[in-house]
Amino acid sequence: MYSHGQNEQQVVWVVVDTAIGPLLLAATHAGLVNVVFHATDTVRDKALDRLASRLGSEPVEAPDSPLLAEAIRQLTGYFAGERHDFELPLDWSLISGFNRQVLRELASGVPYGAVVGYGDLAGRVGQPRAAQAVGVAMGSNPLPVVVPCHRVVESDGGIGGFGGGLETKRKLLALEGVLPEPLF
């Protein structure tokens, strides 16, 4: 499934409308590689330029791509409240080291409807004093929603930060039953 050069990999993408706004989904032959919030034209174009630079291949819009069809199906089920777990192949090539370790632990160890503190997550990967570094890992998550960084909160009960914006984080946590639905 490689395109032009031997070191290039095909990157396909689509923008899908969701309950939290448009999401850009991008995939390689290895799996879903990127999810981008608030995928307006400007945000989308910046994300695609970044992917081209990082992956060495110009992303191709492919709304009917089999690589993306299952991700779209599962995200649709998630936002409809019908799916609690994602079972997708993930391409982790946009992240490495400690950040990848933390995100893999988050993906496998913090289920739908649960939350974890930054410090607790740091402890789970053997770095109990690395709460701030966990925050950095959450901010660099290339696969939000699917790798649920919205489930990481402050130990004092605060919601914490979120790359997709606090309103998006609240909506995701409300969808999962962690927070009440907003009244308006």
Side-chain angles (χ1 to χ4, degrees):
M1 189 169 243
Y2 290 103
S3 57
H4 309 88
Q6 281 191 290
N7 293 328
E8 285 186 4
Q9 57 181 327
Q10 183 181 24
V11 181
V12 293
W13 66 272
V14 66
V15 173
V16 296
D17 288 321
T18 72
I20 57 169
L23 293 178
L24 173 114
L25 307 178
T28 67
H29 70 283
L32 191 65
V33 71
N34 204 196
V35 176
V36 179
F37 290 114
H38 314 299
T40 61
D41 291 349
T42 303
V43 169
R44 179 202 66 210
D45 291 347
K46 285 181 184 177
L48 294 174
D49 287 346
R50 201 168 41 250
L51 281 170
S53 171
R54 296 279 309 274
L55 298 176
S57 176
E58 197 63 37
V60 176
E61 185 174 15
D64 297 324
S65 166
L67 291 171
L68 295 168
E70 185 61 16
I72 293 167
R73 189 182 74 71
Q74 289 189 29
L75 280 163
T76 300
Y78 171 80
F79 286 113
E82 300 163 356
R83 173 174 280 281
H84 293 176
D85 300 305
F86 292 100
E87 298 169 6
L88 296 168
L90 301 178
D91 179 338
W92 294 94
S93 63
L94 294 178
I95 197 149
S96 61
F98 177 78
N99 291 355
R100 183 188 290 189
Q101 181 184 12
V102 169
L103 291 171
R104 283 181 177 260
E105 173 59 30
L106 175 63
S108 65
V110 183
Y112 182 96
V115 293
V116 65
Y118 292 94
D120 293 335
L121 190 53
R124 288 185 186 195
V125 296
Q127 300 290 327
R129 291 185 174 89
Q132 280 189 303
V134 166
V136 170
M138 296 305 104
S140 65
N141 181 4
L143 296 161
V145 182
V146 176
V147 177
C149 53
H150 59 277
R151 296 180 189 155
V152 183
V153 297
E154 295 173 348
S155 59
D156 65 3
I159 195 169
F162 194 60
L166 292 182
E167 185 59 32
T168 300
K169 186 171 186 172
R170 284 186 190 98
K171 285 180 181 179
L172 291 168
L173 291 172
L175 173 71
E176 295 188 12
V178 174
L179 291 177
E181 288 287 341
L183 296 175
F184 44 90

